[in-house]
Coordinates of all heavy atoms in Angstrom, one line a residue:
M1 N 0.8 -1.3 0.0 CA 0.0 0.1 0.0 C 0.9 1.3 0.0 O 0.6 2.2 -0.7 CB -1.0 0.0 1.2 CG -1.9 1.1 1.2 SD -3.0 0.9 0.0 CE -4.2 2.2 0.3
K2 N 1.9 1.3 0.8 CA 2.9 2.4 0.8 C 3.5 2.7 -0.5 O 3.6 3.7 -0.9 CB 3.9 2.2 1.9 CG 3.4 2.3 3.2 CD 4.5 2.1 4.3 CE 4.0 2.2 5.8 NZ 5.0 2.0 6.7
T3 N 3.9 1.5 -1.2 CA 4.5 1.7 -2.5 C 3.5 2.3 -3.4 O 3.9 3.1 -4.2 CB 4.9 0.2 -3.0 OG1 5.8 -0.3 -2.1 CG2 5.6 0.4 -4.4
L4 N 2.3 1.9 -3.4 CA 1.2 2.5 -4.3 C 1.1 4.0 -4.1 O 1.0 4.8 -5.1 CB -0.1 1.7 -4.2 CG -1.2 2.3 -5.1 CD1 -0.8 2.0 -6.5 CD2 -2.5 1.4 -4.7
I5 N 1.1 4.3 -2.8 CA 0.8 5.8 -2.5 C 2.0 6.6 -3.0 O 2.0 7.6 -3.6 CB 0.7 6.0 -1.0 CG1 -0.7 5.4 -0.7 CG2 0.8 7.4 -0.7 CD1 -1.0 5.4 1.0
A6 N 3.3 6.1 -2.8 CA 4.5 6.7 -3.2 C 4.5 6.9 -4.8 O 5.0 7.9 -5.2 CB 5.6 5.9 -2.7
L7 N 4.1 5.8 -5.5 CA 4.0 5.8 -6.9 C 3.1 6.8 -7.5 O 3.4 7.5 -8.2 CB 3.7 4.4 -7.5 CG 3.6 4.3 -9.0 CD1 5.0 4.5 -9.5 CD2 3.2 2.8 -9.4
L8 N 1.9 6.9 -6.8 CA 0.9 7.9 -7.2 C 1.3 9.3 -7.0 O 1.2 10.1 -7.7 CB -0.4 7.6 -6.4 CG -1.2 6.4 -6.9 CD1 -2.4 6.2 -6.1 CD2 -1.5 6.5 -8.4
M9 N 2.0 9.5 -5.8 CA 2.6 10.9 -5.5 C 3.7 11.3 -6.5 O 3.8 12.4 -6.9 CB 3.1 10.9 -4.1 CG 2.1 10.9 -3.0 SD 2.7 10.8 -1.4 CE 3.6 12.3 -1.3
M10 N 4.5 10.3 -6.9 CA 5.6 10.6 -7.9 C 5.1 10.8 -9.2 O 5.5 11.8 -9.9 CB 6.6 9.4 -7.9 CG 7.8 9.6 -8.9 SD 9.0 8.3 -8.9 CE 8.0 7.1 -9.8
V11 N 4.0 10.1 -9.8 CA 3.3 10.5 -10.9 C 2.8 11.8 -10.9 O 2.8 12.7 -11.9 CB 2.3 9.3 -11.2 CG1 1.5 9.8 -12.5 CG2 2.9 8.0 -11.6
G12 N 2.0 12.1 -9.8 CA 1.5 13.5 -9.8 C 2.5 14.7 -9.8 O 2.3 15.7 -10.5
T13 N 3.7 14.4 -9.1 CA 4.7 15.4 -9.2 C 5.3 15.6 -10.6 O 5.5 16.6 -11.0 CB 5.9 15.0 -8.3 OG1 5.3 15.0 -6.9 CG2 7.0 16.1 -8.1
V14 N 5.4 14.5 -11.3 CA 6.1 14.6 -12.6 C 5.0 15.2 -13.5 O 5.3 16.1 -14.4 CB 6.3 13.2 -13.1 CG1 6.6 13.2 -14.7 CG2 7.6 12.5 -12.4
H15 N 3.7 15.0 -13.5 CA 2.6 15.5 -14.2 C 2.6 17.2 -13.9 O 2.6 17.9 -14.9 CB 1.3 15.1 -13.9 CG 0.2 15.6 -14.7 ND1 0.1 15.5 -16.1 CD2 -0.8 16.4 -14.2 CE1 -1.0 16.1 -16.3 NE2 -1.6 16.8 -15.4
Q16 N 2.7 17.6 -12.7 CA 2.7 18.9 -12.3 C 4.0 19.7 -13.0 O 4.0 20.7 -13.5 CB 2.8 19.2 -11.0 CG 1.6 18.9 -10.2 CD 1.5 19.1 -8.8 OE1 2.5 19.3 -8.2 NE2 0.4 19.0 -8.1
A17 N 5.1 19.0 -13.0 CA 6.3 19.7 -13.6 C 6.2 19.8 -15.0 O 6.7 20.8 -15.6 CB 7.6 18.8 -13.2
Q18 N 5.7 18.9 -15.8 CA 5.5 18.8 -17.1 C 4.4 20.0 -17.6 O 4.4 20.4 -18.7 CB 5.1 17.5 -17.7 CG 6.2 16.5 -17.5 CD 5.7 15.1 -18.0 OE1 4.6 14.8 -18.2 NE2 6.6 14.2 -18.1
A19 N 3.5 20.3 -16.7 CA 2.5 21.2 -17.0 C 2.9 22.6 -16.9 O 2.2 23.5 -17.3 CB 1.3 21.0 -16.1
L20 N 4.1 23.0 -16.4 CA 4.6 24.4 -16.3 C 5.1 24.9 -17.7 O 5.9 24.1 -18.3 CB 5.6 24.4 -15.2 CG 5.1 24.0 -13.8 CD1 6.4 24.1 -12.8 CD2 4.1 24.8 -13.3
E21 N 5.0 26.2 -17.9 CA 5.4 26.8 -19.1 C 6.5 27.8 -18.7 O 6.5 28.4 -17.6 CB 4.3 27.6 -19.8 CG 3.2 26.7 -20.3 CD 2.1 27.5 -21.0 OE1 2.4 28.6 -21.5 OE2 0.9 27.0 -21.0
S22 N 7.5 27.9 -19.5 CA 8.7 28.9 -19.2 C 8.4 30.1 -20.0 O 8.1 30.3 -21.1 CB 10.0 28.2 -19.7 OG 10.2 27.0 -19.0
Y23 N 8.8 31.2 -19.2 CA 8.8 32.6 -19.7 C 10.1 33.2 -19.2 O 10.3 33.4 -18.0 CB 7.6 33.3 -19.1 CG 6.3 32.9 -19.6 CD1 5.6 31.9 -18.9 CD2 5.7 33.3 -20.7 CE1 4.4 31.4 -19.4 CE2 4.5 32.8 -21.2 CZ 3.9 31.9 -20.5 OH 2.7 31.4 -20.9
Y24 N 11.0 33.5 -20.1 CA 12.3 34.1 -19.9 C 12.3 35.5 -19.5 O 11.5 36.3 -20.2 CB 13.2 33.9 -21.0 CG 13.7 32.4 -21.1 CD1 13.0 31.5 -21.8 CD2 14.8 32.0 -20.3 CE1 13.4 30.1 -21.9 CE2 15.3 30.7 -20.5 CZ 14.5 29.7 -21.1 OH 14.8 28.4 -21.2
G25 N 13.0 35.9 -18.5 CA 13.0 37.2 -17.8 C 14.2 38.0 -18.1 O 15.2 37.4 -18.7
K26 N 14.5 39.1 -17.7 CA 15.6 39.9 -17.8 C 16.3 39.9 -16.4 O 15.8 40.3 -15.4 CB 15.3 41.3 -18.2 CG 16.7 42.1 -18.4 CD 16.4 43.5 -18.8 CE 17.6 44.3 -18.9 NZ 17.4 45.6 -19.3
A27 N 17.6 39.4 -16.3 CA 18.3 39.4 -15.1 C 19.3 40.6 -14.9 O 19.9 41.0 -15.9 CB 19.2 38.1 -15.0
T28 N 19.1 41.1 -13.7 CA 20.0 42.4 -13.4 C 20.5 42.1 -12.1 O 20.0 41.4 -11.2 CB 19.1 43.8 -13.4 OG1 18.1 43.6 -12.6 CG2 18.6 44.0 -14.8
R29 N 21.7 42.9 -11.8 CA 22.4 42.8 -10.5 C 22.3 44.1 -9.8 O 22.6 45.2 -10.6 CB 23.9 42.4 -10.9 CG 24.7 42.2 -9.7 CD 26.1 41.8 -10.1 NE 26.8 41.3 -9.1 CZ 28.0 40.8 -9.1 NH1 28.6 40.5 -10.3 NH2 28.7 40.2 -8.0
S30 N 22.2 44.1 -8.6 CA 22.2 45.4 -7.7 C 23.3 45.0 -6.6 O 23.1 44.1 -5.8 CB 21.0 45.6 -7.1 OG 19.9 45.8 -8.2
G31 N 24.3 45.8 -6.5 CA 25.3 45.8 -5.5 C 26.1 44.5 -5.9 O 26.3 44.1 -7.0
S32 N 26.7 43.8 -4.8 CA 27.6 42.7 -5.1 C 26.8 41.3 -5.0 O 27.4 40.4 -5.5 CB 28.7 42.7 -4.0 OG 28.1 42.6 -2.7
S33 N 25.6 41.2 -4.5 CA 25.1 39.9 -4.3 C 23.5 39.8 -4.5 O 22.9 38.8 -4.4 CB 25.3 39.4 -2.9 OG 24.7 40.3 -1.9
L34 N 22.9 40.9 -5.0 CA 21.5 40.9 -5.2 C 21.1 40.8 -6.6 O 21.4 41.7 -7.5 CB 20.9 42.2 -4.6 CG 19.4 42.3 -4.2 CD1 19.1 41.2 -3.1 CD2 19.0 43.6 -3.6
W35 N 20.3 39.8 -7.0 CA 19.9 39.5 -8.4 C 18.4 39.5 -8.6 O 17.8 39.0 -7.7 CB 20.5 38.2 -8.8 CG 22.0 38.0 -8.8 CD1 22.7 37.7 -7.7 CD2 22.9 38.3 -9.8 NE1 24.1 37.7 -8.0 CE2 24.1 38.1 -9.3 CE3 22.8 38.8 -11.1 CZ2 25.3 38.2 -10.1 CZ3 23.8 38.9 -11.9 CH2 25.1 38.7 -11.4
T36 N 18.0 40.2 -9.6 CA 16.6 40.4 -9.9 C 16.2 39.9 -11.2 O 17.0 40.1 -12.2 CB 16.2 41.9 -9.8 OG1 16.4 42.3 -8.5 CG2 14.6 42.0 -10.1
C37 N 15.1 39.1 -11.3 CA 14.6 38.6 -12.6 C 13.3 39.4 -12.9 O 12.4 39.3 -11.9 CB 14.4 37.1 -12.6 SG 14.0 36.4 -14.1
S38 N 13.2 40.1 -14.0 CA 12.0 40.9 -14.2 C 11.3 40.3 -15.5 O 12.0 39.9 -16.5 CB 12.3 42.2 -14.4 OG 12.9 42.8 -13.3
L39 N 9.9 40.4 -15.6 CA 9.2 39.9 -16.7 C 8.0 40.8 -16.9 O 7.4 41.2 -16.0 CB 8.7 38.5 -16.5 CG 7.8 38.0 -17.5 CD1 8.7 37.4 -18.8 CD2 6.8 36.8 -16.9
H40 N 7.7 41.1 -18.2 CA 6.5 41.9 -18.5 C 5.6 40.8 -19.3 O 6.1 40.2 -20.2 CB 6.8 43.0 -19.4 CG 5.6 43.9 -19.7 ND1 5.1 44.8 -18.8 CD2 4.7 43.9 -20.8 CE1 4.0 45.4 -19.3 NE2 3.9 44.9 -20.4
N41 N 4.3 40.8 -18.9 CA 3.4 39.8 -19.5 C 2.8 40.4 -20.7 O 2.0 41.3 -20.7 CB 2.3 39.5 -18.5 CG 1.3 38.4 -19.1 OD1 1.4 38.0 -20.1 ND2 0.2 38.2 -18.3
H42 N 3.4 39.9 -21.9 CA 3.0 40.3 -23.2 C 1.8 39.5 -23.8 O 1.4 39.7 -24.9 CB 4.0 40.4 -24.2 CG 5.1 41.3 -23.8 ND1 4.9 42.6 -24.1 CD2 6.3 41.2 -23.4 CE1 6.1 43.4 -23.6 NE2 6.8 42.5 -23.2
T43 N 1.3 38.5 -23.0 CA 0.2 37.6 -23.5 C -1.1 38.3 -23.3 O -1.2 39.4 -22.6 CB 0.3 36.3 -22.8 OG1 -0.2 36.4 -21.4 CG2 1.6 35.6 -22.9
D44 N -2.1 37.7 -23.9 CA -3.5 38.1 -23.7 C -4.2 37.6 -22.4 O -5.4 38.0 -22.2 CB -4.4 37.9 -24.9 CG -3.8 38.7 -26.1 OD1 -3.2 39.9 -26.0 OD2 -4.1 38.2 -27.3
S45 N -3.5 36.8 -21.7 CA -4.1 36.2 -20.4 C -3.3 36.5 -19.3 O -2.2 36.7 -19.2 CB -4.3 34.8 -20.9 OG -3.0 34.0 -21.0
T46 N -3.9 36.1 -18.2 CA -3.2 36.1 -16.9 C -2.3 35.0 -16.7 O -2.9 33.8 -16.9 CB -4.3 36.2 -15.8 OG1 -5.1 37.4 -15.9 CG2 -3.6 36.2 -14.4
L47 N -1.1 35.1 -16.3 CA -0.3 34.0 -16.0 C -0.1 33.7 -14.5 O -0.1 34.6 -13.7 CB 1.2 34.4 -16.6 CG 1.3 34.8 -18.0 CD1 2.8 35.2 -18.4 CD2 0.9 33.5 -18.9
D48 N -0.3 32.4 -14.2 CA -0.2 32.0 -12.8 C 1.3 31.5 -12.5 O 1.6 30.3 -12.8 CB -1.1 31.0 -12.7 CG -1.3 30.4 -11.2 OD1 -0.7 31.1 -10.3 OD2 -2.0 29.3 -11.0
M49 N 2.1 32.4 -12.1 CA 3.6 32.0 -11.9 C 3.8 31.3 -10.6 O 3.1 31.5 -9.6 CB 4.3 33.3 -11.8 CG 4.3 34.1 -13.1 SD 5.1 33.4 -14.5 CE 5.1 34.6 -15.8
K50 N 4.5 30.1 -10.8 CA 4.8 29.4 -9.6 C 6.2 29.4 -9.1 O 6.3 29.2 -7.9 CB 4.4 27.9 -10.0 CG 2.9 27.7 -10.3 CD 2.1 28.0 -8.9 CE 0.5 27.8 -9.3 NZ -0.1 28.4 -8.2
Y51 N 7.1 29.5 -10.0 CA 8.5 29.6 -9.5 C 9.3 30.5 -10.5 O 8.9 31.0 -11.6 CB 9.2 28.2 -9.9 CG 8.6 27.1 -9.1 CD1 7.6 26.3 -9.5 CD2 9.0 26.8 -7.7 CE1 7.0 25.2 -8.9 CE2 8.4 25.8 -7.0 CZ 7.4 25.0 -7.6 OH 6.9 23.9 -6.9
V52 N 10.4 31.0 -10.0 CA 11.4 31.7 -10.7 C 12.7 30.9 -10.6 O 13.1 30.5 -9.6 CB 11.6 33.3 -10.4 CG1 12.0 33.3 -8.9 CG2 12.6 33.9 -11.2
V53 N 13.4 30.7 -11.7 CA 14.6 30.0 -11.8 C 15.9 30.8 -12.2 O 15.7 31.4 -13.3 CB 14.5 28.6 -12.6 CG1 15.8 27.9 -12.6 CG2 13.3 27.8 -12.1
F54 N 16.8 30.9 -11.4 CA 18.1 31.6 -11.9 C 19.2 30.6 -12.2 O 19.3 29.7 -11.4 CB 18.6 32.5 -10.7 CG 17.8 33.7 -10.4 CD1 16.7 33.5 -9.5 CD2 18.0 35.0 -10.8 CE1 15.8 34.6 -9.2 CE2 17.2 36.0 -10.6 CZ 16.1 35.9 -9.7
E55 N 19.9 30.8 -13.2 CA 21.0 30.0 -13.6 C 22.4 30.8 -13.3 O 22.5 31.7 -14.1 CB 21.0 29.2 -14.9 CG 22.2 28.3 -15.1 CD 22.0 27.3 -16.2 OE1 20.9 26.9 -16.4 OE2 23.1 27.1 -16.8
F56 N 23.1 30.5 -12.5 CA 24.4 31.3 -12.1 C 25.6 30.6 -12.5 O 25.7 29.4 -12.7 CB 24.5 31.4 -10.6 CG 23.3 32.2 -10.0 CD1 22.3 31.6 -9.3 CD2 23.4 33.6 -10.0 CE1 21.4 32.4 -8.6 CE2 22.5 34.4 -9.4 CZ 21.4 33.7 -8.6
E57 N 26.5 31.4 -12.7 CA 28.0 30.9 -12.9 C 28.8 31.4 -11.8 O 28.8 32.6 -11.4 CB 28.6 31.5 -14.2 CG 27.8 30.8 -15.5 CD 28.4 31.4 -16.8 OE1 29.6 32.0 -16.7 OE2 27.9 31.3 -17.8
R58 N 29.6 30.6 -11.1 CA 30.5 30.9 -9.9 C 31.6 31.8 -10.4 O 32.2 31.5 -11.5 CB 30.9 29.6 -9.3 CG 29.8 28.8 -8.6 CD 30.4 27.8 -7.6 NE 29.3 26.8 -7.2 CZ 28.6 27.0 -6.1 NH1 28.6 28.2 -5.5 NH2 27.7 26.2 -5.9
T59 N 32.1 32.6 -9.5 CA 33.2 33.4 -9.7 C 34.4 32.4 -9.7 O 34.6 31.6 -8.9 CB 33.4 34.5 -8.6 OG1 32.3 35.1 -8.5 CG2 34.6 35.2 -8.7
G60 N 35.2 32.6 -10.8 CA 36.5 31.9 -10.9 C 36.3 30.5 -11.3 O 37.4 29.9 -11.5
A61 N 35.3 30.0 -11.6 CA 35.0 28.6 -12.0 C 34.6 28.6 -13.5 O 33.8 29.2 -13.9 CB 33.9 28.0 -11.2
H62 N 35.3 27.6 -14.2 CA 35.0 27.6 -15.7 C 34.0 26.6 -15.9 O 34.1 25.4 -15.6 CB 36.4 27.3 -16.5 CG 37.5 28.2 -16.2 ND1 37.4 29.5 -16.8 CD2 38.5 28.2 -15.5 CE1 38.3 30.2 -16.6 NE2 39.1 29.5 -15.7
G63 N 32.8 27.1 -16.3 CA 31.7 26.1 -16.6 C 31.0 25.5 -15.4 O 30.1 24.7 -15.6
N64 N 31.4 26.0 -14.2 CA 30.6 25.7 -13.0 C 29.4 26.5 -12.8 O 29.4 27.5 -12.2 CB 31.6 25.8 -11.9 CG 31.0 25.2 -10.6 OD1 30.1 24.5 -10.6 ND2 31.8 25.3 -9.6
T65 N 28.2 25.9 -13.2 CA 26.9 26.6 -13.0 C 26.0 25.8 -12.1 O 26.2 24.7 -11.7 CB 26.2 26.6 -14.4 OG1 26.0 25.3 -14.9 CG2 27.0 27.4 -15.4
F66 N 25.2 26.6 -11.5 CA 24.2 26.1 -10.7 C 22.9 26.8 -10.7 O 22.9 28.0 -11.2 CB 24.6 26.0 -9.2 CG 24.8 27.3 -8.4 CD1 23.9 27.9 -7.7 CD2 26.0 28.0 -8.7 CE1 24.1 29.1 -7.1 CE2 26.1 29.4 -8.1 CZ 25.1 29.9 -7.4
T67 N 21.8 26.3 -10.3 CA 20.5 26.9 -10.4 C 20.0 27.1 -9.1 O 20.2 26.4 -8.0 CB 19.4 26.1 -11.2 OG1 19.3 24.8 -10.6 CG2 19.9 26.0 -12.7
K68 N 19.1 28.2 -8.9 CA 18.4 28.5 -7.7 C 17.0 28.7 -8.1 O 16.5 29.5 -8.9 CB 18.9 29.7 -6.9 CG 18.4 29.9 -5.7 CD 19.1 31.0 -4.9 CE 18.6 31.0 -3.5 NZ 19.5 31.8 -2.6
Q69 N 16.1 27.9 -7.5 CA 14.6 28.0 -7.8 C 13.9 28.5 -6.7 O 14.1 27.8 -5.5 CB 14.1 26.6 -8.2 CG 12.7 26.7 -8.6 CD 12.1 25.2 -9.1 OE1 12.8 24.8 -10.1 NE2 11.2 24.6 -8.6
V70 N 13.1 29.3 -6.8 CA 12.3 30.0 -5.7 C 10.8 29.9 -6.0 O 10.4 30.3 -7.1 CB 12.7 31.5 -5.4 CG1 11.9 32.1 -4.3 CG2 14.2 31.6 -5.2
R71 N 10.1 29.5 -5.0 CA 8.5 29.4 -5.3 C 7.9 30.9 -4.9 O 8.3 31.5 -4.0 CB 7.9 28.5 -4.2 CG 6.5 28.3 -4.5 CD 5.8 27.1 -3.7 NE 4.5 27.0 -4.0 CZ 4.1 26.1 -5.0 NH1 4.9 25.3 -5.6 NH2 2.7 26.1 -5.1
I72 N 7.1 31.4 -5.9 CA 6.7 32.7 -5.8 C 5.1 32.8 -5.8 O 4.5 33.7 -5.2 CB 7.2 33.6 -7.0 CG1 6.9 33.0 -8.3 CG2 8.5 33.8 -6.8 CD1 7.1 33.8 -9.4
D73 N 4.3 31.8 -6.4 CA 2.9 32.0 -6.5 C 2.3 33.4 -6.6 O 1.6 34.0 -5.7 CB 2.3 31.3 -5.1 CG 2.4 29.8 -5.0 OD1 2.2 29.2 -6.2 OD2 2.6 29.3 -4.1
E74 N 2.6 33.9 -7.8 CA 2.0 35.2 -8.2 C 1.2 35.2 -9.4 O 1.6 34.4 -10.4 CB 3.2 36.1 -8.4 CG 4.1 36.4 -7.2 CD 3.4 37.4 -6.2 OE1 2.6 38.2 -6.7 OE2 3.8 37.4 -5.0
R75 N 0.1 35.9 -9.5 CA -0.7 35.9 -10.8 C -0.3 37.3 -11.5 O -0.3 38.4 -10.8 CB -2.1 35.9 -10.5 CG -2.5 34.5 -9.9 CD -4.1 34.4 -9.7 NE -4.7 34.4 -10.9 CZ -5.1 33.5 -11.6 NH1 -4.7 32.3 -11.2 NH2 -5.9 33.7 -12.6
V76 N 0.0 37.3 -12.8 CA 0.4 38.4 -13.4 C -0.6 38.6 -14.7 O -0.6 37.9 -15.5 CB 1.8 38.4 -14.0 CG1 2.2 39.6 -14.7 CG2 2.8 37.8 -12.9
R77 N -1.4 39.7 -14.6 CA -2.4 40.1 -15.7 C -1.5 40.5 -16.9 O -0.6 41.0 -16.9 CB -3.3 41.0 -15.1 CG -4.3 40.4 -14.1 CD -5.4 41.5 -13.7 NE -5.4 41.6 -12.3 CZ -5.6 42.6 -11.6 NH1 -5.8 43.9 -12.3 NH2 -5.4 42.7 -10.3
S78 N -2.2 40.4 -17.9 CA -1.8 41.0 -19.3 C -1.4 42.4 -19.1 O -2.2 43.3 -18.5 CB -2.8 40.7 -20.3 OG -2.5 41.3 -21.6
G79 N -0.3 42.8 -19.6 CA 0.3 44.0 -19.6 C 1.1 44.4 -18.3 O 1.6 45.5 -18.1
E80 N 0.9 43.6 -17.2 CA 1.6 43.8 -15.9 C 3.0 43.3 -15.9 O 3.4 42.4 -16.8 CB 0.9 43.3 -14.7 CG -0.5 44.0 -14.5 CD -1.2 43.5 -13.4 OE1 -0.9 42.3 -12.8 OE2 -2.0 44.3 -12.7
S81 N 3.8 43.6 -15.1 CA 5.2 43.2 -14.8 C 5.3 42.4 -13.4 O 4.6 42.7 -12.5 CB 6.2 44.4 -14.9 OG 6.2 44.8 -16.2
L82 N 6.4 41.7 -13.4 CA 6.7 40.9 -12.2 C 8.2 40.9 -12.0 O 8.9 40.8 -13.1 CB 6.0 39.4 -12.3 CG 6.4 38.4 -11.2 CD1 5.9 38.9 -9.8 CD2 6.0 37.0 -11.6
S83 N 8.7 41.0 -10.8 CA 10.2 40.7 -10.6 C 10.4 40.0 -9.3 O 9.4 40.1 -8.3 CB 10.9 42.1 -10.5 OG 10.3 42.9 -9.4
S84 N 11.3 39.3 -9.3 CA 11.7 38.4 -8.0 C 13.2 38.6 -7.7 O 14.0 38.6 -8.7 CB 11.3 37.0 -8.4 OG 11.6 36.2 -7.1
T85 N 13.6 38.7 -6.5 CA 15.0 38.9 -6.2 C 15.5 37.9 -5.3 O 14.8 37.4 -4.4 CB 15.1 40.3 -5.4 OG1 14.6 41.4 -6.3 CG2 16.5 40.7 -5.1
V86 N 16.8 37.5 -5.5 CA 17.4 36.5 -4.6 C 18.8 37.2 -4.3 O 19.4 38.0 -5.1 CB 17.7 35.1 -5.3 CG1 16.3 34.6 -5.5 CG2 18.5 35.3 -6.5
R87 N 19.3 36.7 -3.2 CA 20.7 37.1 -2.8 C 21.6 35.9 -2.9 O 21.3 34.9 -2.4 CB 20.7 37.6 -1.3 CG 22.0 38.1 -0.8 CD 22.0 38.7 0.5 NE 20.9 39.8 0.6 CZ 21.2 41.1 0.3 NH1 22.3 41.4 -0.2 NH2 20.2 42.0 0.4
E88 N 22.7 35.9 -3.7 CA 23.6 34.9 -3.9 C 25.0 35.5 -4.0 O 25.3 36.4 -4.8 CB 23.3 34.2 -5.2 CG 23.9 32.9 -5.4 CD 23.6 31.9 -4.4 OE1 22.3 31.7 -4.0 OE2 24.4 31.2 -3.8
F89 N 25.9 34.9 -3.2 CA 27.2 35.4 -3.0 C 28.2 34.5 -3.9 O 27.9 33.5 -4.3 CB 27.7 35.3 -1.5 CG 27.0 36.1 -0.6 CD1 25.9 35.6 0.0 CD2 27.2 37.5 -0.5 CE1 25.2 36.4 1.0 CE2 26.5 38.3 0.3 CZ 25.4 37.8 1.1
H90 N 29.4 35.1 -4.3 CA 30.4 34.4 -5.0 C 29.9 33.9 -6.4 O 30.2 32.9 -6.9 CB 30.9 33.1 -4.3 CG 31.4 33.6 -3.0 ND1 32.5 34.4 -2.6 CD2 30.9 33.3 -1.7 CE1 32.6 34.6 -1.3 NE2 31.7 33.9 -0.7
V91 N 29.2 34.9 -7.0 CA 28.6 34.6 -8.3 C 29.1 35.6 -9.4 O 29.2 36.8 -9.0 CB 27.1 34.6 -8.3 CG1 26.5 34.5 -9.7 CG2 26.5 33.4 -7.4
Q92 N 29.5 35.2 -10.5 CA 30.2 36.1 -11.5 C 28.9 36.7 -12.3 O 28.8 37.9 -12.6 CB 31.0 35.4 -12.4 CG 31.6 36.2 -13.5 CD 32.7 35.5 -14.3 OE1 32.9 34.3 -14.0 NE2 33.2 36.2 -15.3
Q93 N 28.0 35.8 -12.8 CA 26.9 36.4 -13.5 C 25.7 35.4 -13.5 O 25.9 34.2 -13.2 CB 27.4 36.6 -15.0 CG 27.8 35.4 -15.7 CD 28.2 35.7 -17.1 OE1 28.5 36.9 -17.5 NE2 28.4 34.7 -17.9
V94 N 24.6 35.9 -14.1 CA 23.5 35.0 -14.4 C 23.5 34.7 -15.8 O 23.4 35.7 -16.6 CB 22.2 35.7 -13.8 CG1 20.9 34.8 -14.2 CG2 22.2 35.8 -12.3
S95 N 23.4 33.5 -16.1 CA 23.4 33.1 -17.6 C 21.9 33.3 -18.1 O 21.7 33.7 -19.3 CB 23.9 31.7 -17.9 OG 23.2 30.7 -17.1
H96 N 20.9 33.1 -17.3 CA 19.6 33.4 -17.6 C 18.7 33.2 -16.5 O 19.0 32.6 -15.4 CB 19.0 32.4 -18.8 CG 18.8 31.1 -18.5 ND1 19.8 30.2 -18.7 CD2 17.8 30.4 -18.1 CE1 19.4 28.9 -18.2 NE2 18.2 29.0 -18.0
C97 N 17.4 33.7 -16.5 CA 16.5 33.5 -15.5 C 15.2 33.3 -16.3 O 14.9 33.8 -17.3 CB 16.4 34.6 -14.5 SG 15.9 36.2 -15.2
K98 N 14.3 32.5 -15.6 CA 13.0 32.4 -16.3 C 11.9 32.1 -15.2 O 12.2 31.7 -14.0 CB 13.0 31.1 -17.1 CG 13.4 29.8 -16.4 CD 13.5 28.6 -17.5 CE 14.0 27.4 -16.7 NZ 14.2 26.4 -17.8
F99 N 10.6 32.3 -15.5 CA 9.6 32.2 -14.7 C 8.8 31.0 -15.1 O 8.7 30.7 -16.3 CB 8.6 33.4 -14.7 CG 9.1 34.6 -14.0 CD1 10.0 35.5 -14.6 CD2 8.9 34.8 -12.6 CE1 10.3 36.6 -14.0 CE2 9.4 35.9 -12.0 CZ 10.1 36.8 -12.6
L100 N 8.4 30.2 -14.2 CA 7.6 29.0 -14.6 C 6.1 29.3 -14.1 O 5.9 29.5 -13.0 CB 8.1 27.7 -13.8 CG 9.5 27.3 -14.2 CD1 10.0 26.1 -13.3 CD2 9.7 27.2 -15.7
A101 N 5.2 29.0 -15.2 CA 3.8 29.3 -14.9 C 2.9 28.1 -15.2 O 3.4 27.2 -16.0 CB 3.4 30.4 -15.9
R102 N 1.8 28.0 -14.5 CA 0.9 26.9 -14.8 C -0.2 27.5 -15.9 O -0.5 28.5 -15.9 CB 0.2 26.6 -13.6 CG -0.8 25.4 -13.7 CD -0.9 24.8 -12.4 NE 0.4 24.4 -11.9 CZ 0.6 23.7 -10.8 NH1 -0.5 23.3 -10.3 NH2 1.8 23.5 -10.3

């Protein structure tokens, strides 16, 4: 019974992850460690944003990247903008950031 419940939970999680759509934002840096991802909704509908994902490159490391995903649960109407900020140290740059919407 426990195995069946675990299997159903895993299938539900995979289904939710596949249902998310990506919207790339613009990454900016403020100071030495504050990063912001901004997006303007150019669609004709309201977007139900669930996460923002930053992909970073570490300072002094060649090809050493990592991601940071933050849950946001924000609705963005057509024509509105959204931004999300994270603090990350020892990072050279953000290669990209994106919002994941349902």
